[in-house]
């Protein structure tokens, strides 16, 4: 039985993919589940994180978001039984690649798959579904009547976040990075309050948001990255598509929540003082926060998945392919 792995040369930062013959999986024991893989999603390989965690081994497995059928369970497994249909995310230190016929995974990394969701939809949307739910529910506490700015709304993450926000009764504003993205967002039902086309670099996001909210600012911002420096120090593409950090602070309302994916965000004292005056909060959305592995981190992911099962799994699986 073969699986797909990659060599990562840390010094040269180069990746080489290879199919590797795998030995038979060990007997399923304790809290582990043997799973027949039906679908696997390919997400970007975060080589920088692997280097920071000093995970220097010969081969790294490829493919982590999986959906499949339970073949066997260990003696301590409490959530699953053979023939259950499940979906989940393999940990960073998993020895088994998702791109393989059969994998062995701890039960805390899995959740039951809804019957009407296909294998491909389940594997393809579980990661962004958990990210969107984390950002809106745990980090910003979205509720009915809140205004939410979702940057790059036509992305997989943005699509799910928009529909989750609508599901919670929030008013959604979103940005579009191209004409195609704008047309896609304008077809949403219920409709998005305002779609801001930033593809030409001429529209000011902060002004548009303040206009839409009557000068009060938005309650929640989910960014897709921000510019940190002046125009002279930023690449042309980043200048065109991303707002400056000062714009985000300007458009944020009193008591607002800013959820950022910018891992190198730097705030100067005046920026911090402005956030302080607004009573605003800043949270970082780390893609791997639930999945840096060991059993305790696995329980963290399991808590997210099972806690939002009815909303992310049943509601949001369809949104990423809708």
């Amino acid at each position: 039985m073969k699986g797909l792995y990659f060599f990562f040369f840390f010094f040269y930062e180069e990746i080489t993919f290879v199919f590797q013959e795998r030995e038979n999986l060990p007997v399923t024991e304790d809290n582990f589940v043997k799973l027949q893989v039906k679908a696997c999603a390919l997400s970007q390989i975060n080589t920088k994180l692997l280097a920071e965690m000093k995970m220097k081994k010969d081969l790294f497995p490829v493919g982590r978001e999986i959906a499949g059928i339970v073949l066997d369970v260990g003696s301590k497994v409490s959530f699953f039984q053979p023939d259950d249909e499940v979906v989940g995310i393999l940990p960073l230190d998993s020895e088994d690649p998702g791109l393989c016929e059969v994998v062995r995974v701890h039960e805390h990394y899995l959740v039951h798959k809804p019957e009407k969701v296909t294998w491909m939809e389940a594997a393809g949307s579980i990661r962004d579904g958990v990210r969107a739910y984390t950002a809106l529910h745990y980090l910003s506490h979205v509720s009915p009547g809140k205004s939410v700015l979702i940057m790059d709304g036509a992305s997989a993450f943005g699509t799910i976040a928009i529909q989750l926000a609508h599901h919670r009764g929030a008013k959604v504003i979103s940005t579009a990075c191209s004409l195609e993205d704008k047309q896609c967002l304008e077809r949403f039902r219920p409709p998005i309050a305002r779609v801001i086309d930033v593809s030409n670099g001429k529209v000011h996001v902060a002004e548009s948001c303040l206009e839409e909210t009557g000068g009060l600012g938005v309650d929640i911002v989910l960014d897709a990255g921000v510019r940190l420096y002046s125009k002279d120090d930023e690449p042309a593409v980043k200048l065109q598509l991303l707002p400056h950090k000062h714009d985000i602070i300007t458009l944020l309302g009193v008591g607002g929540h800013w959820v950022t994916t910018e891992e190198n965000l730097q705030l100067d004292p005046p920026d911090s003082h402005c956030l302080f005056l607004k009573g605003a909060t800043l949270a970082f959305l780390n893609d791997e926060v639930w999945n840096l592995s060991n059993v305790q981190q696995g329980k963290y992911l399991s808590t997210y998945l099972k806690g939002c099962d009815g909303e992310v799994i049943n509601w949001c699986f369809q949104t990423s392919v809708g």
Side-chain angles (χ1 to χ4, degrees), residues 79-140:
F79 294 113
F80 308 103
Q81 57 187 5
D83 297 326
D84 281 352
E85 297 183 352
V86 299
V87 57
I89 306 174
L90 297 178
L92 276 173
D93 62 358
S94 172
E95 298 294 333
D96 299 330
L99 287 174
C100 188
E101 294 180 11
V102 179
V103 299
R104 180 173 172 268
V105 58
H106 197 285
E107 67 169 326
H108 287 142
Y109 294 105
L110 301 172
V111 70
H112 286 95
K113 180 185 75 68
E115 182 179 352
K116 295 182 180 180
V117 176
T118 68
W119 299 114
M120 184 175 64
E121 290 169 355
S125 59
I126 181 64
R127 183 184 185 88
D128 286 310
V130 174
R131 289 181 68 219
Y133 190 87
T134 301
L136 289 171
H137 179 74
Y138 290 99
L139 299 181
S140 59

Side-chain angles (χ1 to χ4, degrees), residues 202-219:
K202 297 180 180 179
V203 177
H204 200 285
V205 176
E207 290 181 0
S208 299
C209 290
L210 291 173
E211 179 182 335
E212 183 64 34
T213 58
L216 297 177
V218 299
D219 299 305

Side-chain angles (χ1 to χ4, degrees), residues 24 63 95 112 137 140 154 171 215 226 234 242 262 272 291 306:
N24 292 330
E95 298 294 333
H112 286 95
H137 179 74
S140 59
K171 174 183 179 180
V226 295
E234 293 280 11
L242 297 179
E262 182 57 63
S272 298
N291 221 0
K306 292 176 174 61

